[in-house]
Amino acid sequence: MYILARISEVQSIETNRGPNWIHGAGENPIMNIAEATEAAMFDPDEGGHIAFAPDGQRVPEDVNAQVQDFVWTTISEAFKYSNEHGGKITAEKSLLDFFRDRVQQTDFSDEVRRLCLDACKLWGTYVGDQVDRQSLRFFRLEECVDGSNFVVASTYKRILEHVSKTALAKAEIRLNEPVKTINAPNRTPTTKPTITTTKATYTFDEVVVTCPLGWLKQNTSAFNPPLPPRLQKAITNISYGRLEKVYITFPHAFWHQTEPTISAQFLEPQYAPHPKHIEWNQECLSFAALPSPHAHPTLLFYTYGESGAHIINSIQGLDPLSAEYKDVLTQALHPFYSRLPGYDGSEPTAFLATQWQKDEFAGNGSYCNFQAGVEEADVDIEVLRGDGMGLERGLWFAGEHTAPFVALGTTTGAYWSGERVARGICGGLEGEARDDSSPSAVLRD
Ligand SMILES: Cc1cc2nc3c(=O)[nH]c(=O)nc-3n(C[C@H](O)[C@H](O)[C@H](O)COP(=O)(O)OP(=O)(O)OC[C@H]3O[C@@H](n4cnc5c(N)ncnc54)[C@H](O)[C@@H]3O)c2cc1C
């Protein structure tokens, strides 16, 4: 959670620096918690989606509808293809290769084909990296829980309060004390796992490591005895994405006046200055359409991969309330927001950009993804769950990268992974090993 403070006014807006969405409203525990805590939800699919062509002109509505239809149909065909052909697909083949093949089979004009390929690149905002790096073989691991995707208009605040309630009430929580080493030898009647932080060493019956995959990548040496070679290999094999967000607040939502715009895509923008070798597609979502009282005149830009990294590098170390910070982000994003319908020259009143790539405790990135070249990502994920070590050493692994396949990279997956470990520990305590890695097992119980 973060407060987006306006520079010029004493007014603040609550935003999420991490998740905004619930991916798949079907059998989803986060959706259940959202409903139980009366979180306000918003379905952005309700309309107002526009796109801009590489020359900066609006893509006509009928062409945009054709392009979007192609993109989403091809995404679902790619899921099907990945599910059905899996191991037979060359490891190097990317989602972009699949799109290129499919677009060739259409009778679209060259211009529409190009728009389709540009639009499919915005899949990058889902995984945090370019689609030419998205493994087609393991694209199936990106499939989410069935059902609509919702934005949590009232932010994840209540969901977070709900899931943290028991821990806050009953656990002893030590903040500002990063873990440095984790000692977990095989269990004996006299050995227990210990953790050394920057301040002290503690002994536990069981240790659950929920550090992000990006942290594990940089800290396998924190474990003593060393993690098994196959687990270390899995940590290396699975990639870690680079999704970032930039919130921009305006005095009023000009894009919402005459032609309410919920989202806009800017395809391969030739009109926006950027390093030539970097893909520069952008996408923004309006918060002016959220249900009352959560609506605010803010646009959320999602950035990913190399373009996101470029923007984040250019604001590194700058005070978010400084003029320089504002200038850098204005320069990067003015070419886009100034094209939205109704633009009247308004200047932003506040900016906030996440910098997960600069945060070692976020593992210098966002969440796991599956890049072209990975040979057996499904096995890697199973290994990352590290279940054997729980019973043998009292060392358990949870977090989005250990989630059931259908929820990897999401809050739902992180939640389910915690349930799996809790069941493993309780089962272990009862002298019974359990395998509850599938969501259906969790839901069934
Ligand atoms: C920009 C962005 C947008 C996202 N949008 C969505 C979305 O809309 N919907 C969705 O479902 N998911 C979304 N996600 C993904 C979602 O946030 C993650 O899947 C989820 O937070 C993972 O939870 P986790 O517990 O595995 O890890 P984290 O939430 O990363 O928690 C790991 C914790 O470990 C702590 N830690 C790290 N190292 C140490 C250490 N050495 N010692 C002590 N503590 C340590 C960290 O401080 C952190 O608190 C988004 C993520 C990002 C970055």
Side-chain angles (χ1 to χ4, degrees), residues 18-21 23 178-179 210-212 215 361 366-367 399-400 409-411 414:
N20 283 96
W21 295 80
H23 295 292
V179 171
T210 66
C211 295
W215 186 90
F361 300 115
S366 47
Y367 43 86
E400 56 84 15
T410 65
T411 55

Side-chain angles (χ1 to χ4, degrees), residues 16-23 30 150 156 174 177-180 210-213 215 219 240 243-245 302 354 356 359-363 365-368 398-401 407-415 417:
N16 282 127
R17 288 200 300 157
N20 283 96
W21 295 80
I22 294 178
H23 295 292
I30 300 294
F150 286 97
Y156 258 68
R174 306 273 168 99
E177 203 176 327
V179 171
K180 290 305 214 188
T210 66
C211 295
L213 175 65
W215 186 90
N219 291 282
Y240 202 55
L243 182 69
E244 302 281 1
K245 294 168 149 186
Y302 282 99
T354 62
W356 297 112
D359 182 344
E360 66 176 294
F361 300 115
S366 47
Y367 43 86
C368 72
E400 56 84 15
H401 51 286
L408 288 160
T410 65
T411 55
T412 304
Y415 184 91
S417 77

